[in-house]
PDB file of all heavy atoms in Angstrom:
ATOM      1  N   ALA A  97      -4.297   0.299  -3.950  1.00  0.00           N
ATOM      2  CA  ALA A  97      -5.036  -0.561  -4.869  1.00  0.00           C
ATOM      3  C   ALA A  97      -5.198   0.142  -6.216  1.00  0.00           C
ATOM      4  O   ALA A  97      -5.223   1.372  -6.297  1.00  0.00           O
ATOM      5  CB  ALA A  97      -6.410  -0.880  -4.292  1.00  0.00           C
ATOM      6  N   LEU A  98      -5.299  -0.656  -7.253  1.00  0.00           N
ATOM      7  CA  LEU A  98      -5.570  -0.149  -8.598  1.00  0.00           C
ATOM      8  C   LEU A  98      -6.607  -1.042  -9.261  1.00  0.00           C
ATOM      9  O   LEU A  98      -6.795  -2.197  -8.863  1.00  0.00           O
ATOM     10  CB  LEU A  98      -4.299  -0.165  -9.451  1.00  0.00           C
ATOM     11  CG  LEU A  98      -3.226   0.860  -9.127  1.00  0.00           C
ATOM     12  CD1 LEU A  98      -1.961   0.571  -9.922  1.00  0.00           C
ATOM     13  CD2 LEU A  98      -3.730   2.265  -9.410  1.00  0.00           C
ATOM     14  N   GLU A  99      -7.245  -0.512 -10.284  1.00  0.00           N
ATOM     15  CA  GLU A  99      -8.198  -1.342 -11.015  1.00  0.00           C
ATOM     16  C   GLU A  99      -7.469  -2.526 -11.642  1.00  0.00           C
ATOM     17  O   GLU A  99      -6.257  -2.481 -11.870  1.00  0.00           O
ATOM     18  CB  GLU A  99      -8.929  -0.535 -12.085  1.00  0.00           C
ATOM     19  CG  GLU A  99      -8.058  -0.203 -13.264  1.00  0.00           C
ATOM     20  CD  GLU A  99      -8.853   0.160 -14.498  1.00  0.00           C
ATOM     21  OE1 GLU A  99      -9.952  -0.359 -14.690  1.00  0.00           O
ATOM     22  OE2 GLU A  99      -8.344   0.967 -15.273  1.00  0.00           O
ATOM     23  N   GLU A 100      -8.211  -3.558 -11.914  1.00  0.00           N
ATOM     24  CA  GLU A 100      -7.632  -4.758 -12.518  1.00  0.00           C
ATOM     25  C   GLU A 100      -6.965  -4.408 -13.842  1.00  0.00           C
ATOM     26  O   GLU A 100      -7.498  -3.643 -14.636  1.00  0.00           O
ATOM     27  CB  GLU A 100      -8.747  -5.792 -12.738  1.00  0.00           C
ATOM     28  CG  GLU A 100      -8.244  -7.138 -13.112  1.00  0.00           C
ATOM     29  CD  GLU A 100      -9.358  -8.176 -13.158  1.00  0.00           C
ATOM     30  OE1 GLU A 100     -10.521  -7.833 -12.882  1.00  0.00           O
ATOM     31  OE2 GLU A 100      -9.057  -9.325 -13.469  1.00  0.00           O
ATOM     32  N   ASN A 101      -5.786  -4.940 -14.068  1.00  0.00           N
ATOM     33  CA  ASN A 101      -5.002  -4.749 -15.286  1.00  0.00           C
ATOM     34  C   ASN A 101      -4.547  -3.311 -15.529  1.00  0.00           C
ATOM     35  O   ASN A 101      -4.233  -2.951 -16.662  1.00  0.00           O
ATOM     36  CB  ASN A 101      -5.766  -5.260 -16.519  1.00  0.00           C
ATOM     37  CG  ASN A 101      -6.089  -6.723 -16.411  1.00  0.00           C
ATOM     38  OD1 ASN A 101      -5.264  -7.521 -15.976  1.00  0.00           O
ATOM     39  ND2 ASN A 101      -7.307  -7.091 -16.770  1.00  0.00           N
ATOM     40  N   ALA A 102      -4.512  -2.484 -14.488  1.00  0.00           N
ATOM     41  CA  ALA A 102      -4.064  -1.102 -14.649  1.00  0.00           C
ATOM     42  C   ALA A 102      -2.580  -1.066 -15.005  1.00  0.00           C
ATOM     43  O   ALA A 102      -1.768  -1.775 -14.424  1.00  0.00           O
ATOM     44  CB  ALA A 102      -4.306  -0.314 -13.369  1.00  0.00           C
ATOM     45  N   ARG A 103      -2.239  -0.236 -15.971  1.00  0.00           N
ATOM     46  CA  ARG A 103      -0.852  -0.059 -16.400  1.00  0.00           C
ATOM     47  C   ARG A 103      -0.647   1.406 -16.749  1.00  0.00           C
ATOM     48  O   ARG A 103      -1.534   2.060 -17.278  1.00  0.00           O
ATOM     49  CB  ARG A 103      -0.532  -0.900 -17.645  1.00  0.00           C
ATOM     50  CG  ARG A 103      -0.688  -2.390 -17.473  1.00  0.00           C
ATOM     51  CD  ARG A 103       0.479  -2.980 -16.691  1.00  0.00           C
ATOM     52  NE  ARG A 103       0.346  -4.414 -16.535  1.00  0.00           N
ATOM     53  CZ  ARG A 103      -0.262  -5.002 -15.520  1.00  0.00           C
ATOM     54  NH1 ARG A 103      -0.826  -4.307 -14.592  1.00  0.00           N
ATOM     55  NH2 ARG A 103      -0.313  -6.314 -15.439  1.00  0.00           N
ATOM     56  N   GLY A 104       0.541   1.902 -16.483  1.00  0.00           N
ATOM     57  CA  GLY A 104       0.878   3.275 -16.844  1.00  0.00           C
ATOM     58  C   GLY A 104       1.120   3.387 -18.331  1.00  0.00           C
ATOM     59  O   GLY A 104       1.226   2.375 -19.022  1.00  0.00           O
ATOM     60  N   PRO A 105       1.190   4.577 -18.872  1.00  0.00           N
ATOM     61  CA  PRO A 105       1.073   5.828 -18.127  1.00  0.00           C
ATOM     62  C   PRO A 105      -0.380   6.079 -17.712  1.00  0.00           C
ATOM     63  O   PRO A 105      -1.318   5.772 -18.439  1.00  0.00           O
ATOM     64  CB  PRO A 105       1.535   6.885 -19.122  1.00  0.00           C
ATOM     65  CG  PRO A 105       1.297   6.291 -20.465  1.00  0.00           C
ATOM     66  CD  PRO A 105       1.431   4.805 -20.295  1.00  0.00           C
ATOM     67  N   PHE A 106      -0.538   6.626 -16.507  1.00  0.00           N
ATOM     68  CA  PHE A 106      -1.859   6.862 -15.953  1.00  0.00           C
ATOM     69  C   PHE A 106      -2.345   8.261 -16.305  1.00  0.00           C
ATOM     70  O   PHE A 106      -1.559   9.203 -16.386  1.00  0.00           O
ATOM     71  CB  PHE A 106      -1.826   6.683 -14.430  1.00  0.00           C
ATOM     72  CG  PHE A 106      -1.504   5.281 -14.029  1.00  0.00           C
ATOM     73  CD1 PHE A 106      -0.220   4.940 -13.633  1.00  0.00           C
ATOM     74  CD2 PHE A 106      -2.465   4.291 -14.069  1.00  0.00           C
ATOM     75  CE1 PHE A 106       0.087   3.642 -13.272  1.00  0.00           C
ATOM     76  CE2 PHE A 106      -2.166   2.993 -13.717  1.00  0.00           C
ATOM     77  CZ  PHE A 106      -0.890   2.661 -13.320  1.00  0.00           C
ATOM     78  N   VAL A 107      -3.636   8.372 -16.524  1.00  0.00           N
ATOM     79  CA  VAL A 107      -4.249   9.664 -16.828  1.00  0.00           C
ATOM     80  C   VAL A 107      -5.418   9.892 -15.880  1.00  0.00           C
ATOM     81  O   VAL A 107      -6.015   8.952 -15.374  1.00  0.00           O
ATOM     82  CB  VAL A 107      -4.736   9.738 -18.298  1.00  0.00           C
ATOM     83  CG1 VAL A 107      -3.575   9.660 -19.271  1.00  0.00           C
ATOM     84  CG2 VAL A 107      -5.743   8.645 -18.604  1.00  0.00           C
ATOM     85  N   ILE A 108      -5.706  11.150 -15.684  1.00  0.00           N
ATOM     86  CA  ILE A 108      -6.816  11.529 -14.809  1.00  0.00           C
ATOM     87  C   ILE A 108      -8.100  11.525 -15.630  1.00  0.00           C
ATOM     88  O   ILE A 108      -8.097  12.004 -16.757  1.00  0.00           O
ATOM     89  CB  ILE A 108      -6.559  12.920 -14.205  1.00  0.00           C
ATOM     90  CG1 ILE A 108      -5.336  12.851 -13.298  1.00  0.00           C
ATOM     91  CG2 ILE A 108      -7.757  13.436 -13.447  1.00  0.00           C
ATOM     92  CD1 ILE A 108      -4.892  14.194 -12.763  1.00  0.00           C
ATOM     93  N   PRO A 109      -9.194  11.035 -15.136  1.00  0.00           N
ATOM     94  CA  PRO A 109      -9.354  10.475 -13.810  1.00  0.00           C
ATOM     95  C   PRO A 109      -8.943   8.999 -13.767  1.00  0.00           C
ATOM     96  O   PRO A 109      -9.204   8.247 -14.701  1.00  0.00           O
ATOM     97  CB  PRO A 109     -10.843  10.618 -13.533  1.00  0.00           C
ATOM     98  CG  PRO A 109     -11.491  10.534 -14.894  1.00  0.00           C
ATOM     99  CD  PRO A 109     -10.494  11.139 -15.840  1.00  0.00           C
ATOM    100  N   THR A 110      -8.301   8.615 -12.684  1.00  0.00           N
ATOM    101  CA  THR A 110      -7.930   7.219 -12.485  1.00  0.00           C
ATOM    102  C   THR A 110      -9.196   6.432 -12.176  1.00  0.00           C
ATOM    103  O   THR A 110     -10.026   6.868 -11.382  1.00  0.00           O
ATOM    104  CB  THR A 110      -6.944   7.087 -11.307  1.00  0.00           C
ATOM    105  OG1 THR A 110      -5.805   7.905 -11.568  1.00  0.00           O
ATOM    106  CG2 THR A 110      -6.506   5.647 -11.121  1.00  0.00           C
TER     107      THR A 110
END
Side-chain angles (χ1 to χ4, degrees):
L98 288 172
E99 73 160 328
E100 191 173 359
N101 300 318
R103 299 284 181 270
F106 296 100
V107 295
I108 295 174
T110 303

